[in-house]
Amino acid sequence: MLGKGVPRRDPALPGQTSVWDFPRPAIAQPFAGHIRIELGGRVIAETRDAVRTLETSHPPTYYLPPDAIAPDVLRRAGGGSFCEWKGSAVYWDVAVADIVRPRAAWSYPSPTPSFAILRDHVAFYARAMDGCFVDGVRVTPQPGEFYGGWIAPDLAGPFKGGPGSMGW
């Protein structure tokens, strides 16, 4: 055990990074890799100018600048949430033609000073999209209904979000 209630690390294979080596508290950093998001047979967002957040036990979450997102796909949704590091989040419905994915994206309009780099950037839940890709590799969504990390094959877990992981 890593601590009370915390599971053992999965072994990191060659070319993998363990999410247990990511920092706590979380950080945000520029990411120059290629991010692509698809919904309804359409590329709705694409960039090489994303920001990613890293936090112990979580796969990265990618935030895209507004100019990387198709202008007609985001609709402001109700509600919000609060992150102890990033501040207050707002949610977005993602819509393409007759497909609407409620609260499938979020942003921080006024992030805390340590996360100012996230201002006006939007993150998408991979589980709500048809496909999310990092450098051409399809990701899988972080477990659970709340967290929005993207799991790529170059990451080793276990990943927070599944049953029994709330206390990690």
Side-chain angles (χ1 to χ4, degrees):
M1 294 295 254
L2 294 174
K4 185 176 174 74
V6 178
R8 291 192 183 278
R9 293 171 175 242
D10 293 340
L13 303 174
Q16 285 188 318
T17 300
S18 174
V19 296
W20 292 91
D21 292 332
F22 289 168
R24 187 166 178 89
I27 62 168
Q29 60 184 207
F31 180 75
H34 182 219
I35 301 293
R36 188 176 83 245
I37 301 170
E38 299 174 354
L39 181 63
R42 178 175 164 199
V43 174
I44 62 164
E46 190 166 21
T47 190
R48 287 188 176 275
D49 191 28
V51 174
R52 70 178 179 177
T53 57
L54 302 176
E55 179 181 352
T56 303
S57 78
H58 295 262
T61 300
Y62 296 92
Y63 292 81
L64 285 64
D67 64 354
I69 303 165
D72 57 343
V73 300
L74 295 178
R75 299 177 188 163
R76 184 70 165 79
S81 62
F82 182 78
C83 172
E84 63 186 305
W85 292 300
K86 296 183 280 293
S88 296
V90 298
Y91 287 85
W92 301 90
D93 295 339
V94 180
V96 173
D98 60 346
I99 301 169
V100 178
R101 301 289 163 82
R103 294 174 53 99
W106 71 98
S107 62
Y108 293 92
S110 299
T112 62
S114 296
F115 286 86
I117 192 173
L118 295 181
R119 185 178 323 276
D120 298 325
H121 285 56
V122 179
F124 293 77
Y125 285 109
R127 70 177 166 273
M129 301 297 110
D130 293 344
C132 295
F133 302 84
V134 177
D135 291 329
V137 176
R138 181 183 293 270
V139 302
T140 57
Q142 183 171 6
E145 293 299 313
F146 181 71
Y147 299 113
W150 293 8
I151 302 171
D154 64 349
L155 296 174
F159 307 100
K160 185 169 181 160
S165 67
M166 196 56 134
W168 295 0

